[in-house]
Amino acid sequence: SLLRPEIVEELDLVRHGFMPLYMRSSFAPMENGDYFLTGGDREENLNEIRRHSKRDADAMERFDFDLSRVQQYVKPLFDNMAPNIFSGDPEDQAQVAWMLKHLGSAPPKVVHDTVRLLFGSIADFVDDYFETEIVKAHLASSAIVGAKLGPMSPGSGLVFLYLSMGEHDGA
């Protein structure tokens, strides 16, 4: 599980037996007899991508950068309760003001990518970066875990974003 550490701590899940096993590797056999294998080493993963497409290996840097900017942008929103926008309470009004300021603070590209991930499909998002089906399938596979969605379904981008923000022992 990639539950956020705050959730694990607040619910004291370790005391209740929570002990996820982090699986660093991913293997995907291909119809042509080839395969796609990733693990915990970034350089080895880039070499594996490069084995299938030099362009995709180069695109991974941009994809990771763009994704990390979206993650940094939405993390404070995921960490806070949604304010009551109809309340006259000064505390709620301050939270609404903070949220509006935060939402307006990001560069347009970050806002655009965020909206695409929150409401769109992961297939559309990865299509903008990668050319090979195996790399796109590898990335999109994590967007359908437990969601009863396909990678082309609206909402699969949100699943991908949420899971990509998960942590395990600080990583």
Side-chain angles (χ1 to χ4, degrees):
S1 175
L2 293 174
L3 286 175
R4 307 278 305 285
E6 296 85 2
I7 295 170
V8 174
E9 185 178 317
E10 185 175 324
L11 297 176
D12 200 11
L13 294 179
V14 174
R15 187 172 66 84
H16 295 286
F18 181 74
M19 190 178 77
L21 300 175
Y22 187 48
M23 307 280 292
R24 290 187 173 264
S25 63
S26 176
F27 174 77
M30 299 167 63
E31 287 182 354
N32 66 2
D34 200 357
Y35 62 90
F36 187 76
L37 176 67
T38 60
D41 184 275
R42 180 166 175 72
E43 276 309 308
E44 286 180 18
N45 293 343
L46 287 173
N47 286 335
E48 179 67 5
I49 296 169
R50 196 171 289 112
R51 191 171 72 77
H52 295 275
S53 166
K54 181 181 179 332
R55 182 181 171 274
D56 283 359
D58 294 340
M60 186 56 80
E61 294 291 326
R62 188 169 56 94
F63 178 80
D64 285 344
F65 176 78
D66 290 348
L67 180 61
S68 72
R69 290 179 60 185
V70 170
Q71 291 167 335
Q72 291 168 12
Y73 179 56
V74 299
K75 188 176 187 294
L77 300 173
F78 283 20
D79 286 345
N80 291 299
M81 294 285 290
N84 181 349
I85 61 173
F86 302 108
S87 172
D89 182 278
E91 196 172 306
D92 284 331
Q93 290 177 341
Q95 278 298 98
V96 170
W98 171 87
M99 184 179 68
L100 292 173
K101 182 179 178 189
H102 179 75
L103 290 173
S105 70
K109 166 86 167 110
V110 174
V111 174
H112 177 74
D113 288 346
T114 300
V115 169
R116 289 185 69 205
L117 284 167
L118 291 177
F119 302 106
S121 77
I122 191 60
D124 287 341
F125 194 76
V126 298
D127 275 345
D128 287 350
Y129 293 86
F130 305 103
E131 66 182 2
T132 56
E133 293 303 313
I134 191 64
V135 173
K136 291 190 275 187
H138 170 72
L139 290 166
S141 66
S142 63
I144 59 174
V145 174
K148 295 184 181 180
L149 296 171
M152 294 178 192
S153 300
S156 60
L158 173 60
V159 176
F160 178 85
L161 177 60
Y162 183 76
L163 292 177
S164 73
M165 291 175 60
E167 298 178 26
H168 181 80
D169 287 341

